Amino acid sequence: MATYAYRCPGCGDFDLTRPMGEAPDRAICTRCGASSPRRWDAPSLAGMNPALRSAMAREEASRDAPEVVRRSPGGERR
């Protein structure tokens, strides 16, 4: 999930959490209900679980340079 910023003409800034890439161009203000345009900032991903972030980074790195496995999971050499 990512946090996206919107600006209400009357109330000011507010944030909405949506799945990545599913943020609408306009949203309803959480305070007054006015239609509010999205502020085009980078999505906030600070809330991601550190273990998940690490696993995703390892997976991404292995696309171009996979780790070489010299032993099977049981410890036998191949």
Side-chain angles (χ1 to χ4, degrees), residues 17-47:
T17 301
R18 297 279 187 261
M20 180 77 65
E22 294 185 17
D25 290 339
R26 298 187 77 76
I28 301 301
C29 175
T30 55
R31 290 176 228 142
C32 71
S35 179
S36 306
R38 181 172 166 199
R39 288 183 27 226
W40 291 97
D41 293 336
S44 173
L45 301 175

Side-chain angles (χ1 to χ4, degrees), residues 10-72:
C11 301
D13 296 343
F14 64 96
D15 295 334
L16 293 178
T17 301
R18 297 279 187 261
M20 180 77 65
E22 294 185 17
D25 290 339
R26 298 187 77 76
I28 301 301
C29 175
T30 55
R31 290 176 228 142
C32 71
S35 179
S36 306
R38 181 172 166 199
R39 288 183 27 226
W40 291 97
D41 293 336
S44 173
L45 301 175
M48 185 181 283
N49 178 311
L52 177 59
R53 185 181 311 123
S54 176
M56 291 175 72
R58 282 194 314 274
E59 185 274 332
E60 187 173 338
S62 72
R63 291 179 192 162
D64 297 322
E67 292 181 30
V68 176
V69 177
R70 300 196 188 285
R71 293 180 186 265
S72 67

